[in-house]
Amino acid sequence: MLRTLTFTLLLSLSLSIVTACRADDGRQLVVIANPGIDQSSISLETLRAIFAMRQRTLSSGQPLHVFVLGDATPLHEAFSKRVLGVYPHQLRLAWERAVFSGTGQAPNQVASEAALINAVASTPGGIGYALRSHVTERLQVLAVD
Amino acid sequence: MTSQLRIVATAVALTCAAAGASYADLARAQSDEGRDTLQVHGFMSQALVVTDHNAFFGPSDEGLGSLEYTELGLNVSRRLGDRFLVAGQVLSRVAGDYGDAWKPTLDYGVVDYQALTRDDLVLGLQVGRFKNPFGFYNQTRDVPTTRPSVLLPQSIYYDRSRSLGLASDGVSLYGERRLSNGTLYWQGGIGVPQINEDAEISLSASRPDLEAKLSTIGQLLYAHDGGRINVALSMARVRADYRSRLTPSARGDFLFQPVIASFEYNAEHWSLTSEYEFQTRKLSGFEYSRANRSTDGESLYVQYQYRITPRWQWLLRYDYTVSERDDRDGRRFAATGLGPSHTRFARDLTTGVQWRITPRWSAQAEWHYIDGTAWLPRQDNPDDEETDRYWNLVLFQTAYSF
């Protein structure tokens, strides 16, 4: 009985809040944000809308700036598939549809993970992703519920 | 003379586009430091069109084919304050003898206000010239990289009277409601569409005069699991004043009312897409009562895309349309002496490949085997009687976007 209860509890915890997903090499991948962002977690559907460039501000009214790596980079691919649960080609199509129909803008694409971390840390409203081991105190990690 | 003009125009356009591209890079570099959100994007494409019978986008059935399919677009957008986005795009295109060749047009120009952005609900509105949300592809129908093939399925996204559905000048409200693993989107707009010569000549060989009136359009879309499954319903009521050029006293109302049901499944390496359209074209209010009539047409396509590698994609599609459901083989139409029966339907079997050479540059090729000419542009084939029922259409296109 106790075992079942513990198991259920663990299962529901692991389902409700995911702070990290694994990249291909087994290292942990997290959603990072500028420390000025006044929340510590975000829902999956909101995160998908932000990275698909459909939502430009948080519920607090804080404007967001999305930073990504190139489509073919392992980190972007792992983030798309494991965290957002969409394929990079779907994200690419969503951006092109937003940009060329006047409904949104393209995300800011940077050349490396270091540049991405730096951009998120120095841009108010910055949001992106990184390996957990590379997260510094200049960033905050957003849990995905 | 025309070809010289064409070369000069292309050169000017390419220079502008290149300047736009370098400016866009500059703008991006700046936004990494500060928070300037100015973005410039654009695209250009050139196609070679070859047919064995019938002309499609220029003299495709002569010599080595037609180069008269070129698209150029340039857009600028910027966020203003926390909740506003201003965006506009200029489009210039040539597609055979389509009316406004090269003439730059404002494709869209909107002020977007995202009024509410809650975790579970987003509400916003667009004012200006907005792209009509119609099926999966209409809003970016002229952007090569957003299309699965060189030509969109012509049954629903017909080019010959494209102005009917392109964009509207007015107001559009949009929103999304987030559920546990899916999002429900809606958009509803009211505005005046751009009904041009293309719609007039496609409606009837006698080219009636159409004057656009206030029209409505709406779409409801549900995306499940990040867009693995998408289903949508789009509806429009496009209204215009109709006046015959032969007998100017003959005037009435034209109503074009399409409904589209859309379905898509996205897997990692393949996508299956299908859309069905039921459309009503209605003439009413004419004194001469035989002119008042209503015609129901329908269209359906099923499309399979396979991503062989991230850069190579293969496509297979069957596309069917009929102008009048009660006269599928067009025999009744032909009996009235208005034209050959095959102008009333089209069955198009298409296969093609798409190659992303670099993230910005792509090339594609496709082959259509077609029975019927329901969507064959009358602009390129003035005499319906001289069109052939069975024809092959091959397209090669290269596109660059930034």
Side-chain angles (χ1 to χ4, degrees):
Chain A
M1 178 64 194
L2 193 68
R3 266 175 59 194
T4 324
L5 200 69
T6 319
F7 180 74
T8 317
L9 200 67
L10 279 174
L11 190 73
S12 60
L13 271 176
S14 66
L15 279 180
S16 62
I17 295 211
V18 184
T19 47
C21 281
R22 286 186 192 286
D24 282 341
D25 54 7
R27 290 186 293 175
Q28 287 199 309
L29 181 62
V30 290
V31 180
I32 55 168
N34 187 276
I37 284 181
D38 190 24
Q39 62 185 70
S40 58
S41 69
I42 194 161
S43 77
L44 176 61
E45 282 299 311
T46 305
L47 195 68
R48 280 171 173 166
I50 290 168
F51 276 89
M53 302 304 286
R54 293 195 319 267
Q55 179 171 339
R56 302 191 291 271
T57 55
L58 286 172
S59 46
S60 61
Q62 159 107 54
L64 291 166
H65 296 274
V66 177
F67 293 91
V68 295
L69 295 172
D71 289 12
T73 58
L75 200 57
H76 179 75
E77 210 177 311
F79 171 74
S80 302
K81 286 202 234 171
R82 312 253 162 97
V83 181
L84 295 181
V86 303
Y87 302 111
H89 66 83
Q90 286 175 281
L91 272 184
R92 174 59 56 186
L93 191 60
W95 299 338
E96 285 179 349
R97 284 182 176 168
V99 162
F100 293 109
S101 65
T103 55
Q105 290 193 305
N108 303 288
Q109 190 175 319
V110 292
S112 66
E113 190 196 1
L116 200 157
I117 288 172
N118 201 27
V120 171
S122 59
T123 309
I127 186 167
Y129 47 80
L131 290 175
R132 178 180 279 273
S133 54
H134 295 164
V135 173
T136 65
E137 71 284 355
R138 294 164 64 217
L139 297 166
Q140 71 161 320
V141 171
L142 290 185
V144 182
D145 18 69
Chain B
M1 181 60 201
T2 332
S3 65
Q4 270 175 335
L5 201 69
R6 197 181 136 79
I7 290 161
V8 171
T10 311
V12 170
L14 289 178
T15 314
C16 289
S22 50
Y23 186 67
D25 285 338
L26 192 71
R28 266 183 220 124
Q30 279 176 347
S31 71
D32 289 352
E33 324 273 352
R35 262 148 291 113
D36 189 356
T37 56
L38 179 74
Q39 290 194 359
V40 180
H41 295 276
F43 56 88
M44 48 191 135
S45 77
Q46 176 62 54
L48 170 68
V49 188
V50 186
T51 51
D52 55 352
H53 308 290
N54 305 329
F56 192 86
F57 291 172
S60 59
D61 51 349
E62 294 166 21
L64 290 173
S66 165
L67 287 170
E68 292 178 25
Y69 185 28
T70 311
E71 297 159 305
L72 295 165
L74 193 67
N75 70 60
V76 181
S77 65
R78 187 178 213 156
R79 282 153 70 171
L80 292 179
D82 294 349
R83 298 199 172 270
F84 286 93
L85 172 74
V86 181
Q89 177 161 285
V90 174
L91 177 72
S92 171
R93 73 194 280 278
V94 166
D97 286 334
Y98 187 84
D100 51 357
W102 287 121
K103 197 177 108 194
T105 53
L106 182 70
D107 191 35
Y108 61 78
V110 289
V111 177
D112 183 306
Y113 174 60
Q114 219 162 59
L116 182 76
T117 44
R118 270 186 8 205
D119 254 4
D120 59 341
L121 184 69
V122 169
L123 294 174
L125 89 140
Q126 287 200 321
V127 179
R129 175 167 295 177
F130 62 87
K131 296 297 284 179
N132 288 330
F134 202 56
F136 286 136
Y137 299 111
N138 193 57
Q139 285 178 304
T140 53
R141 59 178 296 151
D142 297 311
V143 188
T145 47
T146 66
R147 294 190 297 241
S149 43
V150 180
L151 289 183
L152 283 173
Q154 292 289 303
S155 65
I156 293 176
Y157 305 96
Y158 35 80
D159 274 283
R160 73 178 207 170
S161 53
R162 61 198 298 276
S163 71
L164 271 179
L166 277 183
S168 304
D169 295 336
V171 183
S172 161
L173 296 169
Y174 67 87
E176 46 180 277
R177 174 87 172 87
R178 310 229 168 93
L179 309 165
S180 62
N181 190 25
T183 297
L184 188 67
Y185 305 83
W186 62 89
Q187 187 175 343
I190 180 159
V192 180
Q194 287 88 56
I195 301 184
N196 297 332
E197 217 179 282
D198 62 326
E200 299 172 352
I201 194 167
S202 300
L203 186 63
S204 159
S206 64
R207 240 198 92 204
D209 179 35
L210 294 175
E211 195 71 43
K213 292 200 292 192
L214 207 59
S215 302
T216 50
I217 184 148
Q219 184 178 64
L220 192 65
L221 189 149
Y222 174 70
H224 183 72
D225 195 13
R228 190 164 55 85
I229 299 169
N230 296 315
V231 286
L233 192 68
S234 318
M235 276 168 287
R237 273 176 70 86
V238 179
R239 296 160 61 234
D241 278 327
Y242 181 110
R243 194 191 324 194
S244 163
R245 283 182 210 272
L246 306 174
T247 30
S249 61
R251 50 195 309 178
D253 299 309
F254 171 61
L255 174 72
F256 172 67
Q257 196 170 308
V259 179
I260 300 184
S262 313
F263 169 85
E264 182 170 61
Y265 185 88
N266 284 300
E268 181 161 18
H269 296 293
W270 56 271
S271 300
L272 184 69
T273 312
S274 183
E275 297 193 284
Y276 169 81
E277 178 190 41
F278 181 90
Q279 59 159 256
T280 304
R281 302 179 302 282
K282 192 174 175 187
L283 291 172
S284 61
F286 288 86
E287 273 180 35
Y288 178 55
S289 63
R290 277 188 60 194
N292 297 318
R293 61 178 189 272
S294 177
T295 315
D296 295 333
E298 72 184 350
S299 303
L300 172 79
Y301 76 84
V302 181
Q303 169 182 288
Y304 176 79
Q305 287 163 274
Y306 184 74
R307 284 171 281 275
I308 307 160
T309 72
R311 289 179 160 199
W312 284 89
Q313 182 193 279
W314 173 66
L315 171 132
L316 184 67
R317 182 171 65 213
Y318 178 73
D319 183 29
Y320 170 74
T321 189
V322 61
S323 305
E324 195 169 352
R325 290 176 80 223
D326 300 335
D327 186 26
R328 284 188 188 273
D329 55 12
R331 255 187 242 163
R332 254 179 31 207
F333 178 83
T336 61
L338 288 167
S341 54
H342 66 251
T343 60
R344 304 296 281 173
F345 59 83
R347 296 180 191 88
D348 175 359
L349 185 64
T350 304
T351 186
V353 286
Q354 203 173 51
W355 177 31
R356 279 234 175 187
I357 305 163
T358 72
R360 291 178 171 186
W361 182 32
S362 66
Q364 42 189 326
E366 71 199 33
W367 171 44
H368 300 246
Y369 174 70
I370 307 151
D371 170 16
T373 62
W375 45 258
L376 184 72
R378 222 173 238 149
Q379 294 90 326
D380 295 306
N381 305 271
D383 189 353
D384 285 356
E385 297 290 344
E386 283 181 20
T387 58
D388 283 300
R389 175 174 169 175
Y390 298 96
W391 53 300
N392 287 278
L393 167 64
V394 176
L395 297 112
F396 302 91
Q397 187 179 54
T398 184
Y400 183 85
S401 68
F402 59 87

